[in-house]
Amino acid sequence: MLYMEKDNGILYNFKANLLGHRRLKKKISSEVLGEITKNNVDMALLFEKRFSGWRLVSYNMLSEYLLKPFDSEDLSLKKFLSSFLIIDEKEENLENYIKKHDKLRFEGRGESHDNHYFSFKAVPVNFEENKYYLFSVIDITKKKLREFYLKETEQKYRDMFENSPIALWEHDMTDVKRYLDHIIEKKKVVNLKEFLKEDSDAIVRCVSLISITSMNKKTLSLFEASSPMELRDFDLKGNLYKIFSTTMYNTYLELIVALYNGEVHFEKETSAYTLKRQKIQLNFHANRLGNFRNDWSKIEISMEDVTEKQNLLKRLQDMAHNDILTGLNNRRGFNFLAEKQIQIAKRENQYLYLFFIDMDGMKKINDRYGHENGDRALCDTACILNETFRESDIVARLGGDEFTVLTMSKEKHLQGVIKNRLMLNIQKFNETSDRPYMVKMSVGVKEIEPSEDTDLDEILRDADILMYEEKKKKGTLRK
């Protein structure tokens, strides 16, 4: 009788053809097996065990491509398989390989077939005392090329990821999503953002559930870590909590809310700390990879260190708004800050006092003692003003020997008190200084009530006029 071992779904067509021959009452011959082989929908070959070894006895038309490099009239199984399959050197011969692998299932590449790739599935068939192997072969070249392309693309991505000049890491936030679903259902949360803001433990819990699956070398250098394990530990006692500033927690809060709302991209300027507690400024970007809104298994995070850029920007802003010689605000800086101070005063119903100050005898100092001492006198004036006024007051050098100060108070008619304090500080400086010159100032003060319509240029003009009136009384007007 004909015997074929169960093959878990392999060669269904062979079984179907075999069933078609059950009507035969006589002994099934090897010619029937050959017929079955020829009618197979895949490339099919039938090898018979003979005294000289396994030999090809039948094949279908689709298999002719496979057999081109061989003599199909006398083709051994060993020679056929050796063209596609690299047998382990530990195996003594093909017979041993076949005995150990009762059902042959493997993939191989035929170098003599333009490097095409094939999938081989073979089922042993026993007929009376004869043994056969029925091969079903499928050309899987396209599948293999796709696999190689994907593998190559993945490798290129990993290389780009690892060598990127920007810090990159990947999060698996699946557990965060489960936790939020549970909390939202349990506590009937309507507004997730407000809930996380009010419940600080919840956002800490969310962060602790994040799993970092990978990070690149730039991430380690950015946070001054020696190994990935230093940053992978999200435990409350772990190092990762050392790098989280309040701003970073808020950033992750907004990221979590954005992901829950179905957003794919998220970005924000934030700050963090290195493991050595150095504060760094970051451009934080997050992308949810994948096609499903509820899949939080791959969140790609990129962090660009903009600390130097921010510091440079601050220095440029300082240069744009500060007087280089004295360190005070310049005219531009004063106008910018004064406009905000005026709005605050109106909102809080406070009085404003604008002091317009001009140094007396500045030309004589330059002419008699030189411009170096003239610059020193300007810096001395700046120090006296800083000592007289509060840190919250806006002190500026408008240019040349002109200075201004804007101060705010809930009390009215304070200009006399503040001016007297200024004069005392000038007197104290002149009495204790070893400078060859005396610092003198003329001061005009304009008081602005909360209800007044306020125009900064107009206030400056009024205070300037009051200053010149005082200078005129003192007889110190420039000629």
Side-chain angles (χ1 to χ4, degrees):
M1 62 176 292
L2 184 69
Y3 169 71
M4 187 183 81
E5 294 193 7
K6 295 181 180 178
D7 57 330
N8 296 324
I10 299 174
L11 302 178
Y12 283 114
N13 191 62
F14 174 78
K15 285 186 174 182
N17 283 317
L18 185 60
L19 291 173
H21 289 273
R22 282 182 176 173
R23 67 181 183 276
L24 298 177
K25 302 296 184 181
K26 298 180 180 180
K27 186 190 323 180
I28 301 178
S29 67
S30 61
E31 284 78 6
V32 175
L33 287 175
E35 188 67 24
I36 293 172
T37 303
K38 292 176 182 178
N39 291 332
N40 203 295
V41 293
D42 298 324
M43 289 182 277
L45 305 98
L46 186 66
F47 286 86
E48 182 182 9
K49 177 67 187 255
R50 294 179 178 174
F51 180 76
S52 58
W54 292 90
R55 294 291 182 210
L56 178 68
V57 294
S58 181
Y59 58 91
N60 63 1
M61 290 182 62
L62 292 174
S63 304
E64 290 179 359
Y65 172 72
L66 278 178
L67 299 175
K68 276 184 180 179
F70 309 107
D71 178 8
S72 59
E73 297 298 323
D74 185 25
L75 176 60
S76 69
L77 179 58
K78 182 176 181 179
K79 184 177 182 180
F80 175 72
L81 291 184
S82 297
S83 300
F84 304 95
L85 176 65
I86 299 175
I87 299 174
D88 195 322
E89 293 179 357
K90 295 179 182 179
E91 303 289 350
E92 294 181 2
N93 52 45
L94 185 64
E95 289 292 330
N96 290 335
Y97 185 87
I98 293 174
K99 287 178 182 178
K100 289 185 179 182
H101 303 81
D102 193 25
K103 298 175 185 176
L104 297 178
R105 294 180 180 86
F106 59 89
E107 292 180 357
R109 184 178 68 179
E111 294 184 359
S112 58
H113 295 83
D114 302 323
N115 286 319
H116 275 224
Y117 290 83
F118 302 96
S119 172
F120 296 83
K121 297 175 185 178
V123 177
V125 180
N126 296 328
F127 174 64
E128 293 187 343
E129 295 181 356
N130 296 330
K131 294 183 179 180
Y132 299 88
Y133 256 113
L134 181 64
F135 277 81
S136 176
V137 187
I138 302 173
D139 190 334
I140 56 169
T141 306
K142 290 183 179 180
K143 175 188 172 185
K144 277 292 182 182
L145 291 177
R146 284 195 298 268
E147 289 176 359
F148 291 147
Y149 174 75
L150 290 173
K151 187 175 180 180
E152 184 181 13
T153 303
E154 174 68 16
Q155 186 58 48
K156 286 181 179 178
Y157 168 77
R158 298 314 306 177
D159 290 343
M160 290 174 62
F161 179 91
E162 184 63 26
N163 300 310
S164 171
I166 297 175
L168 299 172
W169 53 8
E170 291 178 354
H171 288 349
D172 183 346
M173 298 176 65
T174 304
D175 290 340
V176 179
K177 179 66 168 60
R178 291 197 193 102
Y179 171 72
L180 290 175
D181 288 340
H182 172 72
I183 288 295
I184 289 172
E185 182 178 356
K186 182 179 178 181
K187 297 191 175 184
K188 308 299 180 186
V189 176
V190 177
N191 189 318
L192 180 59
K193 186 173 184 178
E194 292 302 319
F195 168 75
L196 293 176
K197 280 184 176 180
E198 293 173 3
D199 190 342
S200 58
D201 291 339
I203 185 63
V204 171
R205 177 63 176 159
C206 285
V207 171
S208 70
L209 290 171
I210 296 173
S211 173
I212 299 179
T213 54
S214 62
M215 65 181 71
N216 66 352
K217 291 182 288 189
K218 183 64 178 178
T219 303
L220 298 180
S221 64
L222 175 64
F223 292 105
E224 298 182 297
S226 58
S227 69
M229 290 308 299
E230 287 190 86
L231 294 176
R232 278 207 172 100
D233 189 359
F234 265 97
D235 184 82
L236 286 172
K237 296 179 181 178
N239 284 328
L240 194 62
Y241 282 85
K242 295 179 183 178
I243 74 173
F244 268 56
S245 63
T246 302
T247 309
M248 183 64 98
Y249 270 110
N250 290 334
T251 300
Y252 268 83
L253 184 152
E254 293 183 30
L255 168 62
I256 289 168
V257 172
L259 290 173
Y260 209 87
N261 290 336
E263 296 181 29
V264 178
H265 308 289
F266 173 83
E267 61 181 87
K268 186 178 177 64
E269 289 188 3
T270 187
S271 64
Y273 292 98
T274 69
L275 293 181
K276 296 180 181 178
R277 298 307 291 170
Q278 294 293 319
K279 191 169 185 179
I280 50 177
Q281 302 295 325
L282 303 170
N283 275 344
F284 182 97
H285 295 261
N287 292 289
R288 175 173 57 80
L289 306 182
N291 299 321
F292 302 102
R293 173 173 175 165
N294 292 327
D295 183 5
W296 292 20
S297 62
K298 199 167 187 179
I299 311 297
E300 187 178 81
I301 307 293
S302 66
M303 290 167 290
E304 181 184 5
D305 185 1
V306 293
T307 307
E308 290 187 12
K309 184 178 178 182
Q310 293 282 8
N311 290 339
L312 177 60
L313 182 61
K314 187 178 184 304
R315 288 197 293 271
L316 292 173
Q317 288 174 340
D318 289 344
M319 290 173 63
H321 292 122
N322 289 7
D323 177 57
I324 297 175
L325 178 63
T326 63
L328 300 177
N329 294 293
N330 60 17
R331 183 182 289 273
R332 181 183 295 174
F334 175 78
N335 290 342
F336 177 77
L337 296 173
E339 291 290 354
K340 294 184 178 296
Q341 190 85 310
I342 289 169
Q343 294 174 10
I344 294 171
K346 284 186 175 296
R347 187 167 63 247
E348 298 182 358
N349 200 36
Q350 296 199 43
Y351 292 87
L352 287 168
Y353 299 92
L354 191 139
F355 290 75
F356 200 102
I357 303 159
D358 189 89
M359 292 180 67
D360 296 334
M362 185 65 189
K363 185 177 184 303
K364 290 181 180 179
I365 295 174
N366 281 325
D367 292 345
R368 182 175 297 180
Y369 304 110
H371 287 282
E372 184 176 341
N373 274 305
D375 289 345
R376 191 172 289 119
L378 290 169
C379 292
D380 291 338
T381 300
C383 289
I384 293 169
L385 293 176
N386 281 332
E387 187 178 347
T388 302
F389 292 91
R390 301 167 302 184
E391 191 175 341
S392 59
D393 297 331
I394 304 168
V395 184
R397 179 188 174 205
L398 297 179
D401 56 1
E402 292 182 340
F403 296 80
T404 187
V405 182
L406 183 64
T407 183
M408 185 172 64
S409 176
K410 292 183 179 181
E411 299 181 37
K412 63 188 307 187
H413 307 318
L414 281 181
Q415 58 267 47
V417 175
I418 300 174
K419 187 175 180 181
N420 286 337
R421 185 165 68 237
L422 174 59
M423 293 303 138
L424 286 172
N425 284 335
I426 295 171
Q427 181 183 346
K428 180 181 176 183
F429 173 83
N430 288 329
E431 290 175 352
T432 58
S433 172
D434 59 354
R435 303 284 197 240
Y437 52 80
M438 302 280 283
V439 173
K440 297 178 182 179
M441 305 178 199
S442 295
V443 182
V445 188
K446 171 70 175 179
E447 180 181 342
I448 306 103
E449 294 187 3
S451 58
E452 282 187 54
D453 290 332
T454 310
D455 180 80
L456 184 58
D457 290 334
E458 188 177 328
I459 298 169
L460 283 168
R461 281 195 301 270
D462 291 345
D464 188 20
I465 292 170
L466 292 171
M467 182 274 296
Y468 267 94
E469 287 179 0
E470 179 176 298
K471 192 178 279 284
K472 191 175 181 180
K473 289 177 185 178
K474 291 162 59 176
T476 56
L477 285 170
R478 298 189 189 94
K479 294 182 180 180

